[in-house]
Amino acid sequence: QGPAAIRGWLTGPGAGCAGSRLVPVAACGGAPAFAQYRLTGPGQGFHAWSLTVLELDRGRLAAWNAFLDVEALFPLFGLPVRLAA
C-alpha cells in the first residue's frame, strides 16, 4: 500500500514493464483504464500484456488491477494484440 510500495514494485519485480506503451481505454465504468503493451524485442514491436484498471479515492490511487487474459479482453475493446515498434 502507498507510493513507496508501488515505486518498489515498479523498480523491482515489475521492472520488466519498463518501456511499455499504454493506450487509454474508455469502457471501465468511468475508472481510468489502459491497455498495456510490452516491448517484444528490438525492432519487433509490442505485444498485449494487460488491461489495467485504476481505482481512485479522493484523487489518489487506491488500487491497481491488471487483467492478463489479453486474448479474450483486448478484442472486446477493439484493441489489437500487437503494436508496431
Side-chain angles (χ1 to χ4, degrees):
Q1 291 182 344
I6 293 170
R7 186 178 311 105
W9 169 258
L10 290 174
T11 58
C17 292
S20 290
R21 286 194 178 170
L22 299 177
V23 176
V25 176
C28 289
F34 303 89
Q36 178 184 358
Y37 294 87
R38 286 182 65 174
L39 188 60
T40 302
Q44 297 180 15
F46 297 81
H47 69 278
W49 183 256
S50 76
L51 179 65
T52 301
V53 180
L54 305 178
E55 294 178 39
L56 304 178
D57 182 24
R58 293 181 292 247
R60 296 186 61 145
L61 182 61
W64 175 331
N65 304 284
F67 300 92
L68 304 178
D69 189 4
V70 296
E71 289 83 13
L73 292 172
F74 276 43
L76 295 175
F77 291 92
L79 297 163
V81 177
R82 298 205 176 278
L83 292 179

